[in-house]
Structures are given as C-alpha cells and as structure tokens.
C-alpha cells in the first residue's frame, strides 16, 4: 500500500509499505526520483530497520539517488499490538460495552500510555539512527480514522472526541522522541472538524501533515 501525503514541511515524501516486495521497492524509489520526491518513508515496523537486514540495500539505493530517509506511516496500531489483547483487554477500545483488539486502543487507560511510551522508545532506538537529519517520524492512525467506530467508546474515552484520543497517543510518542533528539518531530494528521474545541493540545515537537488522495 502506498500513501502520498502533501506535508506542511519542505520535504516531498513517498511512503513505502513494509509489505512492498523487492521489485516494487525498486520501482517506487525510481518513481520518487522521476517525480521529484526528495524523501522515502519506511514503516516503523519495516524490516529495513533491523540490523543486517537485506532491505537495507533499498535505503542505500535511496540515499545514492539523493533521497532522505524517514520512518512511519499508518503505524499507530503498532503501539499497542493486537497480541496484547490476550493478556489485558482493558488496553483496547470499547465498542457497545465490549473490548475489541481491532483498529485503535483505549488511550485514557494509564497502562496504555505507559506501554505506548515503552513501545515508542523501542521503535525509536531501532530506527532513529537511519533517519535523515532533521529527523521526522510519522505517527498516523489506521486509514479508517474518520470512522467514529474505530475509536474507543469506554466511559472515560467518551469524554474525548476521536481527534483528542489520537492526540493523547501522539503526545506520549512526542515526549519520548524529545528525549532522543530535541529537534526531531512527530508528524500527525489533523482530521478534526472543530480544532478550536479540542481540549488536548499537541506537543511543540508535533507537526501537522495534511493527507491528499492516494495515487
């Protein structure tokens, strides 16, 4: 899956899914060069970030063509993996009174934000050294983010709109990123229809990205 986002940033980015095959990755890097992109974005969960992985050659190819390397994509669900549902259902979102492991998690649960911090730290430690300076990590929700029923409806979360629930997770990630690089940024999507009403405010190192249609 390929995402094209027009960012409110100087770089023009091409997102590559971790599920992209070898030939597809080579074609996408060539496409980025041909269409004047200057940055390739690998998923935070991409094998590229594992030491001695064969996918490292794609980063080398991208750099050889003058492209920057960034990390992220629709990786928000990575912060609370579905396998955790077997051990603690309260970490996950509630729908009609029942917990479900699909899509997003329960951001108002203190244990959730604690785990998010640990997971973000692990993902950052694995990927940050490969990311071009100035560093940007993209933390975007599931692509069904505009559907109200993909967010938590537990009694505590009902006090927050979907956008506010999302910002709780973004802020937790931004706090950890600041500990590693005070100039690095977390990029997030602003899908709020009433931003002036939001009670949760983004951290200073969180920046907005505006999605365009996928190509």
């Amino acid at each position: 899956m390929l995402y094209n986002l027009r960012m409110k940033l100087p770089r023009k980015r091409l997102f590559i899914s971790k599920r992209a095959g070898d030939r597809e990755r080579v074609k996408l890097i060539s496409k980025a060069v041909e269409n004047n992109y200057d940055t390739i974005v690998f998923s935070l969960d991409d094998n590229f970030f594992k030491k001695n992985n064969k996918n490292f050659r794609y980063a080398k190819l991208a750099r050889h063509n003058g492209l920057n390397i960034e990390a992220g994509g629709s990786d928000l669900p990575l912060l609370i993996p579905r396998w955790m549902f077997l051990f603690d259902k309260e970490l996950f979102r509630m729908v009609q009174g029942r917990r479900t492991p699909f899509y997003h998690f329960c951001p108002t649960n203190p244990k959730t934000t604690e785990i998010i911090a640990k997971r973000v730290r692990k993902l950052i430690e694995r990927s940050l050294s490969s990311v071009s300076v100035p560093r940007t990590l993209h933390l975007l929700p599931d692509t069904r983010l505009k559907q109200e029923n993909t967010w938590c409806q537990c009694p505590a979360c009902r006090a927050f709109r979907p956008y506010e629930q999302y910002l709780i997770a973004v802020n937790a990630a931004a706090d950890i990123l600041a500990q590693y690089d005070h100039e690095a940024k977390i990029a997030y999507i602003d899908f709020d229809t009433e931003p002036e009403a939001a009670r949760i405010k983004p951290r200073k190192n969180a920046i907005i990205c505006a999605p365009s249609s996928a190509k």
Side-chain angles (χ1 to χ4, degrees), residues 74-126:
S74 297
D75 289 338
L76 189 66
L78 289 176
L79 302 185
I80 305 292
R82 289 181 185 176
W83 59 262
M84 289 185 176
F85 188 75
L86 296 173
F87 303 96
D88 193 345
K89 295 181 179 181
E90 298 302 310
L91 298 173
F92 293 84
R93 71 187 187 100
M94 178 179 287
V95 182
Q96 297 180 347
R98 301 182 66 178
R99 298 285 177 177
T100 174
F102 296 105
Y103 310 127
H104 302 118
F105 37 75
C106 178
T108 59
N109 184 340
K111 290 177 64 177
T112 300
T113 50
E114 181 181 340
I115 292 173
I116 286 175
K118 292 180 180 179
R119 292 280 299 172
V120 168
R121 189 180 302 277
K122 181 178 179 180
L123 290 169
I124 287 175
E125 288 176 346
R126 188 176 71 177

Side-chain angles (χ1 to χ4, degrees), residues 57-70:
R57 67 178 181 266
Y58 302 116
K60 186 176 181 180
L61 176 62
R63 289 195 177 96
H64 179 74
N65 283 279
L67 299 170
N68 296 303
I69 302 295
E70 292 184 350

Side-chain angles (χ1 to χ4, degrees), residues 11-12 39 46 49 57 69 115 149 167 183 186 205:
R11 293 176 179 172
K12 184 179 179 182
T39 304
D46 200 312
F49 293 111
R57 67 178 181 266
I69 302 295
I115 292 173
N149 62 359
L167 279 185
E183 294 184 352
I186 287 281
N205 62 335

